[in-house]
Protein backbone atom coordinates (compact mmCIF):
# COMPACT_ATOMS: atom_id res chain seq x y z
CA UNK A 1 0.00 0.00 0.00
CA UNK A 2 1.23 3.47 -0.75
CA UNK A 3 -0.35 6.87 -0.93
CA UNK A 4 0.28 10.49 -1.66
CA UNK A 5 -1.38 12.79 0.82
CA UNK A 6 -1.42 16.46 1.77
CA UNK A 7 -2.26 16.84 5.47
CA UNK A 8 -3.41 20.24 6.71
CA UNK A 9 -3.78 19.49 10.45
CA UNK A 10 -1.98 17.51 13.14
CA UNK A 11 -4.84 15.01 13.07
CA UNK A 12 -4.39 14.52 9.31
CA UNK A 13 -0.65 13.98 9.75
CA UNK A 14 -1.21 11.47 12.56
CA UNK A 15 -3.78 9.60 10.45
CA UNK A 16 -1.17 9.34 7.68
CA UNK A 17 1.45 8.06 10.13
CA UNK A 18 -0.99 5.45 11.48
CA UNK A 19 -1.42 4.11 7.93
CA UNK A 20 2.35 4.14 7.38
CA UNK A 21 2.93 2.23 10.62
CA UNK A 22 0.40 -0.41 9.63
CA UNK A 23 1.71 -1.51 6.24
CA UNK A 24 5.12 -1.63 4.56
CA UNK A 25 5.43 0.37 1.36
CA UNK A 26 6.43 3.71 -0.09
CA UNK A 27 4.50 6.79 0.98
CA UNK A 28 4.59 10.45 -0.03
CA UNK A 29 3.39 13.30 2.15
CA UNK A 30 3.38 16.89 0.91
CA UNK A 31 3.15 19.79 3.34
CA UNK A 32 1.79 22.88 1.56
CA UNK A 33 2.29 26.17 3.36
CA UNK A 34 2.46 25.93 7.15
CA UNK A 35 1.09 23.05 9.20
CA UNK A 36 1.12 24.18 12.84
CA UNK A 37 1.03 21.26 15.23
CA UNK A 38 -1.53 21.11 18.03
CA UNK A 39 -0.24 17.76 19.36
CA UNK A 40 2.98 15.78 18.95
CA UNK A 41 3.07 13.86 15.70
CA UNK A 42 2.90 10.10 16.08
CA UNK A 43 6.19 8.22 15.84
CA UNK A 44 7.00 6.73 12.43
CA UNK A 45 7.79 3.14 13.36
CA UNK A 46 7.74 0.72 10.41
CA UNK A 47 11.06 -0.71 9.22
CA UNK A 48 9.38 -1.70 5.94
CA UNK A 49 8.24 1.83 5.10
CA UNK A 50 9.87 4.49 2.98
CA UNK A 51 8.36 7.90 3.55
CA UNK A 52 9.06 10.93 1.36
CA UNK A 53 8.00 14.17 3.02
CA UNK A 54 8.16 17.23 0.79
CA UNK A 55 7.40 20.86 1.48
CA UNK A 56 5.92 23.07 -1.23
CA UNK A 57 4.68 26.63 -1.22
CA UNK A 58 6.93 27.46 1.73
CA UNK A 59 6.25 24.05 3.31
CA UNK A 60 6.76 24.33 7.06
CA UNK A 61 6.03 22.00 9.96
CA UNK A 62 5.70 24.32 12.96
CA UNK A 63 6.02 22.70 16.39
CA UNK A 64 4.58 25.84 17.99
CA UNK A 65 7.38 25.75 20.63
CA UNK A 66 5.55 22.79 22.23
CA UNK A 67 5.67 19.77 19.91
CA UNK A 68 8.45 17.69 18.39
CA UNK A 69 7.80 17.94 14.67
CA UNK A 70 8.90 14.57 13.30
CA UNK A 71 9.96 11.52 15.30
CA UNK A 72 11.29 8.47 13.46
CA UNK A 73 11.99 5.21 15.28
CA UNK A 74 12.14 2.86 12.27
CA UNK A 75 11.86 3.13 8.51
CA UNK A 76 13.45 5.33 5.89
CA UNK A 77 12.29 8.94 5.89
CA UNK A 78 13.43 11.48 3.29
CA UNK A 79 12.65 15.14 3.98
CA UNK A 80 12.95 17.62 1.10
CA UNK A 81 12.27 21.37 0.98
CA UNK A 82 10.53 21.34 4.35
CA UNK A 83 11.26 23.82 7.12
CA UNK A 84 11.06 22.40 10.65
CA UNK A 85 10.26 25.41 12.81
CA UNK A 86 9.83 25.93 16.56
CA UNK A 87 10.06 22.21 17.43
CA UNK A 88 10.60 21.20 21.04
CA UNK A 89 12.03 18.07 22.63
CA UNK A 90 10.57 18.24 26.11
CA UNK A 91 10.71 15.58 28.83
CA UNK A 92 12.40 12.24 28.90
CA UNK A 93 15.06 10.96 31.26
CA UNK A 94 17.97 12.25 29.22
CA UNK A 95 21.26 10.45 29.19
Amino acid sequence: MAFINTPSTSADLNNDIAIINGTAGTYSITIVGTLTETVDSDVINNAGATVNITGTGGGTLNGNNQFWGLFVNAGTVNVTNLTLLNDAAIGGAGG
Side-chain angles (χ1 to χ4, degrees):
M1 172 181 231
F3 67 85
I4 299 173
N5 203 11
T6 306
S8 60
T9 67
S10 291
D12 292 343
L13 182 60
N14 283 336
N15 287 336
D16 293 345
I17 293 171
I19 292 167
I20 290 164
N21 287 340
T23 305
T26 300
Y27 301 89
S28 295
I29 295 174
T30 301
I31 308 272
V32 178
T34 299
L35 190 161
T36 300
E37 292 184 291
T38 55
V39 298
D40 282 322
S41 63
D42 289 343
V43 176
I44 297 172
N45 192 21
N46 183 340
T50 298
V51 183
N52 300 302
I53 303 172
T54 304
T56 63
T60 301
L61 183 59
N62 185 345
N64 206 24
N65 295 312
Q66 301 175 70
F67 307 109
W68 61 42
L70 296 173
F71 193 122
V72 180
N73 187 57
T76 300
V77 177
N78 304 301
V79 179
T80 306
N81 295 327
L82 180 68
T83 300
L84 301 175
L85 181 68
N86 299 322
D87 295 332
I90 300 170

